[in-house]
Amino acid sequence: MMNYNDLTPEQKKLVEGCHTPEELFALAKREGLKIPEEDLERIAGGQGWQLPDCPNCGSDKTYNNGSGYSCKACGNSWS
């Protein structure tokens, strides 16, 4: 599964540059990565690609860390 923490620095930059599900799916296919089922369900269920804002600092610079979410701005993790 695609866990942000397991990606190379180059892959992290590529993931962060994806702005649509289609771009992420293309990247995952190209890099041979699997997208976590919960992310696929959220996108397919109409919730879109939007990740939750950080409950600690309010930043929208968050990512799925494989066991929940983490914030790039303050380092907070939650599930």
Side-chain angles (χ1 to χ4, degrees), residues 3 5 13 15 17 28 30 37-38 40 43 45-48 52 60 63 67 69 73 76:
N3 182 328
N5 294 325
K13 286 184 181 187
V15 167
R30 187 172 63 245
E37 187 67 29
E38 67 182 35
L40 291 174
I43 293 167
Q47 295 178 1
D60 65 353
Y63 61 93
S67 62
Y69 301 98
N76 183 41

Side-chain angles (χ1 to χ4, degrees), residues 1 6 9 12-14 21 23 31 36 39 48 52 63 67 73 75 79:
M1 291 292 177
D6 294 336
K12 288 179 182 179
K13 286 184 181 187
L14 292 171
E23 290 176 357
E31 296 290 322
D39 290 341
Y63 61 93
S67 62
S79 54

Side-chain angles (χ1 to χ4, degrees), residues 7-45:
L7 300 177
T8 67
E10 294 81 17
Q11 289 172 324
K12 288 179 182 179
K13 286 184 181 187
L14 292 171
V15 167
E16 291 168 7
C18 293
H19 299 289
T20 66
E22 292 79 12
E23 290 176 357
L24 182 63
F25 292 140
L27 171 66
K29 184 176 180 181
R30 187 172 63 245
E31 296 290 322
L33 304 170
K34 290 187 176 188
I35 299 173
E37 187 67 29
E38 67 182 35
D39 290 341
L40 291 174
E41 289 173 6
R42 188 179 68 249
I43 293 167

Side-chain angles (χ1 to χ4, degrees), residues 38-73:
E38 67 182 35
D39 290 341
L40 291 174
E41 289 173 6
R42 188 179 68 249
I43 293 167
Q47 295 178 1
W49 178 238
Q50 175 115 13
L51 294 170
D53 290 344
C54 176
N56 186 52
C57 72
S59 172
D60 65 353
K61 299 194 181 316
T62 60
Y63 61 93
N64 184 318
N65 64 21
S67 62
Y69 301 98
S70 292
C71 177
K72 296 175 200 167

